[in-house]
Each structure stands twice: as structure tokens, then as C-alpha cells.
Amino acid sequence: MRLLPSAYTAGAFSLFLISRRFLSSSTTTSSSRKLKNLHYRNRTRALAEAKLALTEYLHATRALPFTLADHIASNSPISLSTFVSQIPFNNAIPSDFPRILRSFFSYRPVNEFDFFFESIGLFPSHPSLPSGTPLFLSEDARLLAAVSSLLRFGFPWTLLGLLYLDSPSIFSSPPGHLLHRLQRFEALGFTRVCVIAICLTFPSTLSAAEEDVETERLFRDLKIVFVDYGLDGCAGDDVELLLRFCRRIRMFYDICSGKGFMGELMGRSKRIFVEIEESVLAQRLRFFLKLGMRREQIGAFTLKNVEIFYLDLDDPEILIPDYLVRVGLSKEETDSLMERHPYVMGKNKLGNLPGIMRALDLDKWFCTKIVDERNIHFLSPSYAYVDSCDNELETEFMYALKRIKLVKQHQFVEVKVDFFLSIGFGKNKMTSKAIGLVSGNKELLQERFDCLIGMGIKYDMLCRMIIAAPKILNQCENMLHQKVNYLCQDLGYPIEYLNSFPAFLCFDLENRIKLRYKILNWLRDNGLVKKPFAPATVLANSEKRFIFNLSCIHPAAPKQWLECFSSHNDRNAYKETS
């Protein structure tokens, strides 16, 4: 059996849930609509007969245990519908369907793995599935034995895909090894259904080494939460409810500190795992992560102050600079900040505070206010209250936004607004101008923003760059990397140079930047240029002005430029690259 690298992340889990939700919604009725080879009145009957025929085929012909055959046939509606759509029924009457299906199964081999993977909750075309698998399940005896062991222990069939997403090696483990490990977990004091939920949430517990330290620390934490503090009693025998509790616990390990240090705090705060949705937990934890708090600090801080998870950060608005004065800055300090960072002025959501504080380079200061000085009320909606009356900044912002929506699709403008507010920009005229010049959805803009941050540009510096040259966010990530590398490695400038000339990232690398520097390098090599020219001097001028500058260096330089270096694309080389 081909093994895959571990990929069990929050994204992978979400993808599993989406596929499972889609598969569960693909009932016999909805699947039957795709069967163009059958009269619409006979489609439901044909699928029902196909399910019986597949069960019989897997059990009687392929010698699979009946339980496995029935699970596979009952939980793979898409694969079953695809299979039935390939059968030439030729206007056969419904009573002939069983014979036709049995005959087709007998003479036309089917890929049993497609049915199997769909039945455990994965799309047949799921990216995590291996390619080049055999046709018949019986050829993978270890997989069948492992599945039988998991099923016998009590694992829900349709959730086995969670294990496969993270650790496909589980399905090649000796069945005795799996059962031994599961029983060892159960002997720690957990109920069987709790062990199942834990393993589905942390599949590495079944694939890690026998005496794995991380696994031991995990179960030490979970025993405190589920056994000592009785979290398992809040779910009874509902494995899916326990799975939700475990997923919420896992958020703390994924975003915060490592295993073995938060069990007691989690136990005391167990109500948040019962009452708060996973998405809300993740949002609150990432709020402090974006604010600059250390990962190992976030878990302990939030678990000691669980009221944070019950605060509404989505709807309440704050007004900058008024909010800064309320949280402790003097009027003089605030005025100085607004002079240097005017783009943060105006209304914004309370939940966007990390972006606002980072845009002002106040994230560490604000984090100290919240954590060390215990001013959690700074995050309270009542504390963040602003007058509902529109101020002048917002009036200008809304007016400019209406004009943008006249020429651009409404929904795309709104997602750009969300992006700019999330990185710390307020509702003001400068922000609306930037919104009108960028292209891409929120996710794409965020990826480009993160790409520039990842290359070493400071957050507040990048915000200033965007205000000066918004179109830098129209460049694809690969091109951003190439241009920054050319600036730093080929031209020898520090990345901080972009603070004074952010438009460098908007010029065409091949048709403008490199060509103009080629002629300058040629002039230097011939002793005609003694000192290098800054990128702003070289690139910001039009081609006509650039040629004039070359003539000042040497009368023959313009001819050399036009004959050997100039590009017909140079005039249009300040452009956005999507």
C-alpha cells in the first residue's frame, strides 16, 4: 500500500467535512438525476438494485466480509451512480435490472478502491489518495485487516477517512498492533467512545512509535480533561459530539503551546469546549497570535481568561484615533502616530485590532496592556463603543466607495474592503483610493501581503508602501520574489529601500528594470559611469526622459540603447501583474 506524507491540518479536516457533507447529501434521488442511460422513472430502482448487486459482488465474488461489503455499497452513492451510468440497459424493464447488473459485475472489473475511499468519507478524486492503486481490495490484505480491527473496536465507518488523511500508514499496520494500542489507551481510564474520538482527532496516536513522548503527553492532558474533570460525561456515547470536543482541544495544540502543559487549565475551563464553536476558538487564538503574543503564552492566557471566548469581536466598531486615547496613549502621542500613519484613521472592527496595532507598530505595547496589565476590558464591545453618527472620514469613504462600485462589481469591492480593514486600514479616503486600484479577492490579496511580510518587510512599512503604491498587491507572488531578489542581490540594495520607492515592485522586471540596468552596466564597463544610479532615478522616468539622461552621460549612449537594449514594451512597463 502506497503511503502519503502526513497532512492532517485544520484545512485537511475541513476538506474532509466538506466532502463528507457532499457525499451524505448525494442521496439515491440526487444521484439518479445523472443517469441519462435510464428512463427517469427507473433510475431510483436501478441504483437500489446496483447497491444490492455491489454488496453481493464484493461479498460473494470478491470474498469480502459481508459487513465491509455492505458498508462500502451503502456509503458510495457517487461511485455507484458513475458505475450505473456506464451500463447499456437498452430500454430493459426493471425486473431485468438484477440480471444485467450481475452480468456487468461479472465481466467488467470495477475499481473497488473508488467505492471504498468514498465510503469512508473521501471523494474518489481526493488529492490525498494515492495513484496507481490496484483494482481489487482483496489485493491489500493489510488494509482490510486494519479496517476490520478498527470497525470491531467501534470506529464509525464513514469517519475512517479522518485517519487516512493524516496517517495512511495506519491502514497497513498489523491488526493485533492496532487493537493492542487501542486497548492500552482504554486502560488509562477513557471510555471506548472517547478513545475513538481522540484517535480520530489525533491520528498520529495510532501511527507513532510505541513509547512516543508526544503521545504520552497528549493522553496525560486528555485524561485530566475527560476523566478527572468529566468532559466525556457531557457527550455520553455520542462519538461525533466527542469528536467536536477533541477538535476544539486540538485548536490549542495547533495554534498555541505543545502537549503536556495545558491539561489542568483545559479541565478547569472545560465549558468552552462544550459551548464555543471551533471556528470561534480559532478566531480568538489567532487574534492574539496576530497581535504578536508568543504561542506558548496564548494557551495559558486565554484559558485563564475564558471570558475572551464569549466576547463579540465581529460587530462592534472602534474609531481611530479615539480608541488609542482610551487605551492609554496621550493626545500628543496619538497625533504623532496619525501624522505618520494617516491610513489607519476612521472606523474599523474591534476584531481587526491586531492589524491596526501592527500597522501602527504598537502591537507589543498593546499586548503588554492586555496581558501584563490585565486590561482585558479593552476588548469589550461596551468599551469599544463609538458614536453611531457618521464622521467626516467615513462619509468621504462611503462616497468614494459608491463611485468605485459604479465601475466594478459590488461583491468584489466588498471583499477588498474587508481585506484592507483586516490589515489595519480605517474607513477613510486613502483606503478607498487603494481599494479602487487593486485587483484580486481577499484570499489572493492576503497571500501577496503575507508573501511580502515573509520576505522581511516590516508590517508598518508595508502598509506605508501600499498607500504609496497600491498596485504592488497586483503582482503575483513569484514575481514579487523575483523583483525583491533582483533589488537585494543584483542591485545590492537593502529591502528597506522599498520604503522610499515601493513603485519598484510595479515595474516590469524583464522589459524595464533589467533592460535599463543592462545599458547602465554597459556604460559602467566602458568607464562612462562612475557611480551607480538609484532605482528611483533609473525607473521612474519615461523612456524619453531616460534617453535624455543617457545622452547627458555620452552622446552615443541613446543610439546604443535603441539598437541593443530598448524594448518596445518599455512604455507600458509600469503595469500590474495578476
Side-chain angles (χ1 to χ4, degrees), residues 135-427:
L135 286 177
F136 306 119
L137 286 167
S138 57
E139 295 179 25
D140 198 335
R142 281 201 166 191
L143 180 142
L144 291 177
V147 167
S148 297
S149 297
L150 293 169
L151 199 63
R152 190 159 59 250
F153 190 80
F155 279 80
W157 179 275
T158 55
L159 294 179
L160 292 179
L162 286 173
L163 299 178
Y164 198 95
L165 275 177
D166 177 77
S167 302
S169 60
I170 292 171
F171 292 83
S172 60
S173 302
H177 169 78
L178 276 179
L179 284 174
H180 170 72
R181 178 164 292 198
L182 289 166
Q183 289 164 356
R184 187 163 65 86
F185 295 155
E186 195 176 11
L188 295 174
F190 296 94
T191 62
R192 178 163 292 201
V193 70
C194 194
V195 171
I196 292 169
I198 291 170
C199 293
L200 288 172
T201 307
F202 304 91
S204 61
T205 55
L206 293 177
S207 59
E210 190 71 26
E211 302 299 329
D212 180 62
V213 175
E214 284 288 299
T215 302
E216 290 180 357
R217 288 176 177 172
L218 171 66
F219 274 94
R220 187 163 66 241
D221 276 353
L222 296 180
K223 184 178 180 183
I224 295 172
V225 180
F226 283 102
V227 180
D228 297 349
Y229 281 90
L231 181 60
D232 58 349
C234 299
D237 293 329
D238 189 338
V239 67
E240 295 211 13
L241 187 54
L242 278 168
L243 179 61
R244 284 200 287 273
F245 293 169
C246 289
R247 282 297 309 170
R248 293 164 188 172
I249 289 172
R250 177 160 181 156
M251 292 306 306
F252 282 84
Y253 294 126
D254 289 346
I255 297 176
C256 308
S257 53
K259 303 174 180 70
F261 307 103
M262 294 190 290
E264 188 66 30
L265 288 173
M266 286 179 174
R268 293 174 185 172
S269 309
K270 68 175 184 179
R271 67 188 178 102
I272 65 171
F273 303 116
V274 178
E275 300 170 356
I276 307 296
E277 291 295 329
E278 182 182 335
S279 59
V280 177
L281 286 174
Q283 182 194 50
R284 298 296 184 273
L285 294 174
R286 291 194 180 108
F287 178 92
F288 292 101
L289 186 64
K290 291 176 183 176
L291 199 55
M293 191 182 292
R294 299 192 311 274
R295 287 182 179 270
E296 61 272 18
Q297 190 180 20
I298 295 172
F301 173 72
T302 53
L303 287 170
K304 289 176 182 176
N305 301 277
V306 292
E307 64 270 22
I308 288 169
F309 296 106
Y310 295 88
L311 295 175
D312 180 11
L313 299 181
D314 294 325
D315 294 327
E317 287 188 319
I318 56 175
L319 182 63
I320 303 295
D322 295 13
Y323 182 82
L324 298 176
V325 175
R326 299 187 70 184
V327 297
L329 286 181
S330 67
K331 182 72 166 55
E332 292 74 21
E333 290 172 319
T334 304
D335 290 343
S336 175
L337 281 170
M338 292 306 100
E339 188 176 340
R340 284 179 284 137
H341 311 279
Y343 42 84
V344 303
M345 293 177 68
K347 288 184 179 180
N348 206 329
K349 290 184 178 180
L350 184 62
N352 291 330
L353 265 176
I356 297 170
M357 293 302 170
R358 292 185 71 183
L360 293 168
D361 198 22
L362 290 176
D363 45 314
K364 292 181 180 178
W365 171 83
F366 189 71
C367 206
T368 301
K369 285 280 184 181
I370 296 291
V371 180
D372 297 344
E373 299 179 19
R374 299 188 61 80
N375 290 307
I376 299 173
H377 60 282
F378 285 174
L379 304 177
S380 169
S382 59
Y383 194 84
Y385 172 77
V386 295
D387 195 326
S388 59
C389 296
D390 290 345
N391 56 32
E392 185 179 347
L393 286 173
E394 187 174 25
T395 302
E396 291 178 346
F397 175 79
M398 298 307 296
Y399 176 73
L401 216 58
K402 286 180 181 178
R403 297 187 65 182
I404 294 171
K405 289 177 181 178
L406 291 175
V407 294
K408 297 195 176 184
Q409 293 189 35
H410 182 277
Q411 65 270 29
F412 295 124
V413 175
E414 291 299 328
V415 297
K416 292 173 190 175
V417 172
D418 288 343
F419 165 74
F420 276 95
L421 294 181
S422 72
I423 64 172
F425 287 42
K427 292 181 179 180

Side-chain angles (χ1 to χ4, degrees), residues 401-467:
L401 216 58
K402 286 180 181 178
R403 297 187 65 182
I404 294 171
K405 289 177 181 178
L406 291 175
V407 294
K408 297 195 176 184
Q409 293 189 35
H410 182 277
Q411 65 270 29
F412 295 124
V413 175
E414 291 299 328
V415 297
K416 292 173 190 175
V417 172
D418 288 343
F419 165 74
F420 276 95
L421 294 181
S422 72
I423 64 172
F425 287 42
K427 292 181 179 180
N428 56 64
K429 196 172 183 178
M430 298 179 76
T431 301
S432 61
K433 182 180 177 181
I435 289 170
L437 293 173
V438 300
S439 60
N441 57 34
K442 184 179 180 180
E443 290 72 24
L444 199 56
L445 293 171
Q446 188 66 55
E447 286 172 8
R448 295 165 183 170
F449 186 88
D450 293 341
C451 172
L452 291 165
I453 292 291
M455 285 189 279
I457 300 176
K458 288 185 63 179
Y459 196 102
D460 57 323
M461 171 181 154
L462 180 54
C463 291
R464 289 194 297 271
M465 289 168 55
I466 291 171
I467 280 298

